[in-house]
Amino acid sequence: MENTYFTSEELQLRNRAFLSGDAVKASFFIRNSKLIMDEECYFFLMASMRKMRLNIPLTYTLEFFQNLFTENVIEGNGVQNGIINFLVFRNSDGITLSKSSVSYYFEVEQMEDVLSIQQRPLELDLIKEINVNNNLLSNIRVHCPENIYGGIYAQENDLDDVILLNPNKRIARATTGNLLFLEGNVIKVPKQSEGAYISPLLENFVTFLHKNNLADIQEHEIIAFESQKAEEILLVSDEKGISSVKKIRNKTFENIRFTELIESWKQSF
């Protein structure tokens, strides 16, 4: 199904998103014709804009986004389940860049259930010739040439995604999202200080597991070899949804426990 696109104004090629990658992204989630986790997603977007020194309009309230998506996506296009990938970019109309106005663009990807594990499990591999940084801007969704390179590398090697390391050769994330490693009753999550994304979807999931004592959630510095020790691996992407990892190199993984945990999580909505 083709994605649906929206923008705040007519797009011009001469804009800073196109020329400089001067933009931030955040995702919002629709489930059963309702926005879910909208507050978490909204505050993540606002924090991302502040980190990139984008001028936040006074109109950018939570209610503004709730109305925008309800009118244009849920009611206007009848979308019942999907992910809204929202991009805010800086214009070139201010005395200084920090005073410039902003515009937005977003697209909607429909799917059966944003909280379900997607049917096709993924095959990943580690990539070592490039790495991602682990600073303030590494945790938000901004222009990232490493993601582009990694995505092309995956396509050329018949992979679904690649695992990116940080300068310390530890696991940061995949190109599309964060990785969770299950060993027994412990779920290891790479720290944000390691280069992992801030993810409202991931944080909601692990918070639910922690509050209900369904798993022991531990933030770790994870060396590359530990990906081979896990029993199950989950890839959580705010942009594309949730997927299980079936294979990394010669190691295959199950998808039993994570499926049970995801089902419990879905029942809480």
Side-chain angles (χ1 to χ4, degrees):
M1 184 178 296
E2 188 173 342
N3 292 358
T4 306
Y5 303 92
F6 300 86
T7 181
S8 56
E9 56 189 64
E10 185 178 351
L11 286 176
Q12 304 292 330
L13 287 179
R14 194 184 176 196
N15 69 67
R16 291 186 58 81
F18 175 74
L19 295 173
S20 307
D22 190 1
V24 298
K25 297 179 187 175
S27 295
F28 292 80
F29 309 102
I30 302 172
R31 187 167 189 256
N32 298 328
S33 300
K34 294 181 180 179
L35 288 168
I36 60 170
M37 295 179 252
D38 45 346
E39 285 193 26
E40 298 100 308
C41 298
Y42 167 74
F43 287 122
F44 170 63
L45 174 61
M46 294 299 102
S48 299
M49 291 180 68
R50 283 193 293 272
K51 289 177 181 178
M52 280 295 290
R53 301 295 193 266
L54 286 165
N55 186 19
I56 301 176
L58 294 177
T59 56
Y60 275 24
T61 63
L62 175 59
E63 291 74 21
F64 169 81
F65 289 99
Q66 290 170 332
N67 293 333
L68 178 69
F69 299 142
T70 299
E71 293 175 6
N72 290 283
V73 181
I74 298 174
E75 296 177 355
N77 277 272
V79 176
Q80 296 180 341
N81 295 280
I83 297 176
I84 302 168
N85 287 308
F86 191 90
L87 180 141
V88 183
F89 59 92
R90 195 189 323 263
N91 298 313
S92 300
D93 57 3
I95 298 174
T96 63
L97 288 178
S98 63
K99 300 295 183 182
S100 294
S101 66
V102 298
S103 298
Y104 65 77
Y105 167 93
F106 64 93
E107 62 180 53
V108 184
E109 181 174 352
Q110 297 189 57
M111 56 183 60
E112 289 188 8
D113 189 342
V114 296
L115 301 184
S116 291
I117 296 177
Q118 299 187 39
Q119 291 184 348
R120 191 173 70 85
L122 307 181
E123 182 175 349
L124 276 60
D125 200 353
L126 287 95
I127 185 170
K128 295 184 178 180
E129 54 259 47
I130 60 170
N131 55 55
V132 292
N133 290 321
N134 49 356
N135 58 39
L136 178 73
L137 301 181
S138 305
N139 307 132
I140 62 176
R141 288 166 57 193
V142 294
H143 172 67
C144 179
E146 292 84 1
N147 285 347
I148 298 170
Y149 184 98
I152 295 172
Y153 178 93
Q155 291 176 351
E156 292 179 342
N157 290 275
D158 297 321
L159 301 167
D160 297 294
D161 205 340
V162 293
I163 299 174
L164 296 167
L165 307 179
N166 62 28
N168 298 313
K169 304 302 180 184
R170 294 192 293 262
I171 291 175
R173 54 175 175 79
T175 67
T176 57
N178 292 327
L179 296 159
L180 288 77
F181 302 87
L182 177 67
E183 295 180 34
N185 195 46
V186 175
I187 294 177
K188 295 182 179 180
V189 184
K191 295 179 178 179
Q192 291 176 6
S193 58
E194 293 289 283
Y197 280 138
I198 298 171
S199 165
L201 189 63
L202 172 66
E203 291 180 8
N204 192 289
F205 177 51
V206 297
T207 299
F208 168 80
L209 298 181
H210 175 72
K211 285 184 176 180
N212 291 276
N213 297 314
L214 296 176
D216 181 10
I217 309 298
Q218 299 180 7
E219 290 191 326
H220 272 267
E221 298 173 348
I222 303 175
I223 61 173
F225 175 73
E226 288 193 59
S227 66
Q228 300 289 294
K229 294 169 55 181
E231 298 166 18
E232 299 185 15
I233 301 177
L234 198 67
L235 173 59
V236 178
S237 169
D238 284 29
E239 183 177 358
K240 295 184 178 296
I242 303 168
S243 302
S244 63
V245 176
K246 182 65 176 178
K247 186 178 181 181
I248 300 177
R249 296 186 175 174
N250 295 321
K251 175 71 180 292
T252 57
F253 304 92
E254 297 292 335
N255 184 28
I256 300 171
R257 182 75 174 126
F258 267 133
T259 299
E260 295 173 350
L261 295 174
I262 290 288
E263 287 300 316
S264 298
W265 179 44
K266 286 166 59 177
Q267 298 303 316
S268 69
F269 285 86

